[in-house]
């Protein structure tokens, strides 16, 4: 009788606030014979607990989550020194968040406008310890490194800190200061400080324009 060697699936968790997106992404990943989605979550707390429970090699994380922000999840995972590698898959333009998630500890960034087939390539690269970025973003980062010009190609929102950008995102969703403070677990006074810094860094004209873009 031939010896049977079972296939060892790579366990993956998906953390995204849209159920249909989670389902579609999970179905695409599960087509692969060596990949298996073992859990899904919609917010930071459930996502971190899911990672603790399953200890998956890879977690796919959205920036926009139900009650918080994917950046917070990345920082939590890294602060707890959990071994899971993080791959961000988001609707946001990479100029807003890609460099930030890499600095926070993620291993890659994919815009949701790309075909879902790209996520499989990204997973395999991250499994091998490589960083995954689209060609355009990789070229942009290399250009900054070679020229030594950190401001090259920057958009105005890149001047914002992670917390300021998170506040700006919630402003774009139409939330009031008290609601934003609750979601970010901050005092309203601290959140008002973030708002003031955003206006100072972006300027009244940029603030109005970018807020409209954030709403869209």
């Amino acid at each position: 009788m031939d010896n049977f060697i079972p296939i060892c699936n790579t366990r993956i968790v998906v953390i995204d606030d849209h159920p249909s997106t989670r389902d579609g992404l999970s179905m695409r990943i599960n087509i692969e014979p060596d990949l298996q989605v073992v859990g899904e979550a919609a917010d930071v707390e459930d996502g971190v607990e899911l990672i603790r429970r399953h200890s998956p090699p890879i977690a796919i994380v959205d920036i926009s989550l139900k009650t918080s922000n994917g950046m917070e999840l990345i920082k939590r995972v890294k602060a707890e020194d959990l071994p899971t590698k993080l791959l961000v898959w988001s609707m946001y333009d990479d100029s807003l968040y890609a460099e930030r998630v890499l600095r926070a500890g993620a291993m890659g960034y994919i815009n949701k406008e790309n075909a879902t087939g790209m996520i499989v390539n990204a997973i395999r690269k991250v499994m091998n310890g490589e960083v995954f970025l689209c060609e355009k973003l990789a070229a942009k980062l290399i250009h900054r490194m070679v020229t030594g010009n950190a401001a090259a190609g920057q958009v105005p929102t890149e001047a914002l800190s992670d917390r300021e950008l998170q506040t700006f995102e919630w402003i774009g969703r139409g939330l009031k200061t008290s609601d934003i403070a609750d979601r970010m677990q901050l005092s309203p006074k601290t959140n008002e400080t973030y708002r003031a810094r955003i206006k100072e860094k972006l300027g009244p004209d940029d603030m109005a324009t970018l807020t409209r873009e954030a709403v869209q």
Side-chain angles (χ1 to χ4, degrees):
M1 182 176 178
D2 293 335
N3 291 328
F4 173 71
I5 302 175
I7 295 175
C8 182
N9 288 342
T10 296
R11 292 167 294 107
I12 298 168
V13 299
V14 175
I15 304 167
D16 191 293
D17 62 338
H18 290 96
S20 59
T21 299
R22 295 197 305 270
D23 291 346
L25 184 56
S26 296
M27 288 177 62
R28 176 62 187 89
I29 292 171
N30 286 333
I31 291 174
E32 302 298 316
D34 59 334
L35 304 178
Q36 180 185 12
V37 175
V38 295
E40 301 177 7
D43 58 28
V44 171
E45 293 301 328
D46 289 343
V48 172
E49 178 57 32
L50 194 65
I51 290 172
R52 290 195 196 110
R53 184 165 69 249
H54 290 284
S55 296
I58 296 177
I60 299 173
V61 183
D62 192 5
I63 290 296
S64 178
L65 297 178
K66 190 173 181 180
T67 57
S68 188
N69 183 287
M71 284 288 294
E72 294 303 310
L73 185 142
I74 295 169
K75 291 175 181 179
R76 287 270 300 276
V77 169
K78 290 303 173 181
E80 294 187 27
D81 200 26
L82 300 174
T84 298
K85 295 182 176 68
L86 302 166
L87 175 62
V88 176
W89 194 52
S90 175
M91 67 179 178
Y92 290 115
D93 188 277
D94 53 32
S95 63
L96 279 173
Y97 276 104
E99 286 188 71
R100 294 173 188 269
V101 302
L102 294 180
R103 287 197 300 266
M107 293 287 289
Y109 190 98
I110 305 175
N111 192 288
K112 286 184 178 179
E113 291 183 355
N114 294 311
T116 54
M118 185 179 286
I119 199 77
V120 175
N121 294 332
I123 289 170
R124 299 196 187 285
K125 278 188 173 291
V126 171
M127 282 169 57
N128 291 328
E130 301 176 52
V131 172
F132 184 90
L133 297 170
C134 70
E135 292 183 6
K136 179 181 177 182
L137 179 59
K140 175 182 174 182
L141 297 183
I142 291 172
H143 176 71
R144 288 190 187 184
M145 181 180 67
V146 170
T147 61
N149 184 3
Q154 282 191 334
V155 295
T157 47
E158 290 188 59
L160 303 179
S161 69
D162 291 343
R163 283 297 213 175
E164 290 163 0
L165 184 58
Q166 188 176 354
T167 298
F168 185 70
E169 176 192 344
W170 292 118
I171 292 172
R173 294 195 193 189
L175 270 67
K176 297 178 181 179
T177 298
S178 58
D179 295 328
I180 296 173
D182 286 343
R183 295 198 177 206
M184 295 179 66
Q185 298 182 341
L186 301 170
S187 69
K189 184 176 181 180
T190 299
N191 198 258
E192 285 288 1
T193 299
Y194 285 145
R195 282 176 174 264
R197 289 176 183 170
I198 291 169
K199 290 179 181 179
E200 181 180 344
K201 290 180 178 180
L202 300 184
D205 295 336
D206 281 339
M207 183 67 180
T209 300
L210 289 169
T211 299
R212 286 194 297 271
E213 293 178 1
V215 170
Q216 293 171 358

